[in-house]
Amino acid sequence: MTKIQKAACIGGGVIGGAWAARFVLAGIDTTMLDPHPEAERIVGEVMANAERAYGLLTTAPLPKKGKLTFVKTIEEAVQGADWIQESVPERVELKRNVLTQIDAAADPKALIGSSTSGIMPTELQRDMKHPERMFVAHPYNPVYLLPLAELVGGEKTSPETLELAKARLAPIGMKGVILKKEIEAFVGDRLLEAVWREGLWLIKDDICDTETLDDVIRYSFGMRWAQMGMFETYRIAGGEAGMRHFIAQFGPCLSWPWTKLMDVVDLDDALVEKIANQSDAQSGAYGFRELERIRDENLVGIMQTLKTSNGGQGWGAGKLLTEFEAHLWKTAPKPEAKPSAEPIKLLEAKVHPSWVDYNGHMTEFRYNQCFADAADSLLRIVGADLDYVAAGHSYYTVEAHNQWLDEAKLGDALYVKAQILPTDGKKIHTFMWLYRVSDDALLATCEHLMLHVSSKEGKSVPPLPEVLEKLQPMIAAHANLPLPAGAGRVVGQKKA
Ligand SMILES: NC(=O)c1ccc[n+]([C@@H]2O[C@H](COP(=O)([O-])OP(=O)(O)OC[C@H]3O[C@@H](n4cnc5c(N)ncnc54)[C@H](O)[C@@H]3O)[C@@H](O)[C@H]2O)c1
């Protein structure tokens, strides 16, 4: 069983709160221990931002949220947990002490991950009775969106622990990468620190201010890094001759004075003040949670774009998102609708920022997306789901007619109802209405026709019996409903 059944978070600050959000939104009951007097408020705010971000990230069916319980002791926290994540402040004595207490109280088979940014796991597991199940799971902020965890074992960590940790991260949408050896600061923080060290020199030496430095990153190589990292990017930079040529051209620069090398800048009061003032000038107009929300929207946008690249197969973090969504669809309860003489409710959605155009209204094609998602939902109800498609059959849309009747605005909750019009089941002919939840205003309609096909043979064929068995009673149940006013309407017709 690779799924995490119950999680415990020890420490609920920036990182621990976001781990809790990742677990809870993946449907995992989670306990939280943090002595901070305002821990519940702080974690609650992180949770609210995380839910908002997931609302933007995916329309796949998220599981019912796990229960989040605040507790007072390590013993209560780890009771029944099979993944325990330590995220207390970065002090080796404190961490070792907390981890040793966790080890004593937890089920010996429970996995224990530390969020440490750079302390070696061998140091942390020193006093444990069952150190073989302890490892570093180093995440990136915000843990609920950025999917990577560096998995690092210490001298006493078993290789199976790291493999099991990696397998358990996949169903919560995360990619675990296992490092071959432990090293202080692992991979990510070593790279970040090298760039940060150089950046601090550039500010101290008045070469640029914080805003200019950030612009240099985000308008250029920052975007490259998000999608190809360093070596794949440099392979392309070497032109047709590739990596060898790149190294021949830029390798010598490493010994030119392009870097302050390992000199560490003195972060004295004057430099801290200078950086803080420049940062206020750069970003002080935004509140902390506001900046978090802007960051989340940007990250969601990047991941969604990466999901569509490489001929639709996805790339990097976008490919992982596709796999996570496939998992969500597979594990979601199968939708059911008993045949009834009422139009069927097929979709609930929210208008999110990327759906809104320059008028502040939901952009035209998102209305179509609502109807397309509703049609997909009907297909899942009749059993023409992803497994059916993978086995070689599907329904393809062949014709549609929309009416745009009212505006949907950012944040509006929407739903779609559908009436199935009489057909033989080889075609599915529906009339759909898109409504706003708050006032049941009718926003748009769509008359929609799908045709059953064999994707292998590339032609239309009758549906398989298991689909017809579900579909025909639904068609029959709607047969006596009056024809919707707009059905059969042609473009430009004055009256519905
Ligand atoms: N902030 C980041 O970007 C980041 C990224 C990756 C990893 N980390 C690592 O995650 C860990 C936590 O960092 P953070 O940024 O969340 O710090 P933080 O200061 O925001 O949170 C630490 C939390 O631990 C709580 N705490 C202190 N002692 C505790 C104890 N004995 N038991 C339970 N809770 C206790 C504090 O009340 C606080 O809420 C550190 O090891 C850090 O290196 C941080």
Side-chain angles (χ1 to χ4, degrees), residues 10-16 33-36 86-90 94-95 98 115-117 138-141:
I10 312 298
V14 173
I15 288 301
L33 172 69
D34 191 310
H36 193 288
E86 169 278 307
S87 311
V88 303
E90 190 78 349
L94 172 67
K95 281 191 181 287
V98 164
S115 298
T116 177
S117 296
H138 175 238
Y140 286 76
N141 187 31

Side-chain angles (χ1 to χ4, degrees), residues 392-396 398 424-427 450-463:
H393 288 96
S394 189
Y395 278 94
Y396 288 176
V398 288
D424 56 5
K426 187 172 166 184
K427 295 193 191 86
M450 292 185 285
L451 188 60
H452 189 271
V453 295
S454 156
S455 35
K456 281 183 193 150
E457 294 170 59
K459 62 175 193 183
S460 111
V461 295

Side-chain angles (χ1 to χ4, degrees), residues 399 401-403 447 485-496:
E399 195 173 338
H401 177 249
N402 291 5
Q403 293 179 84
E447 187 174 352
R489 196 176 189 279
V490 294
V491 174
Q493 195 175 319
K494 275 266 160 61
K495 279 194 178 163

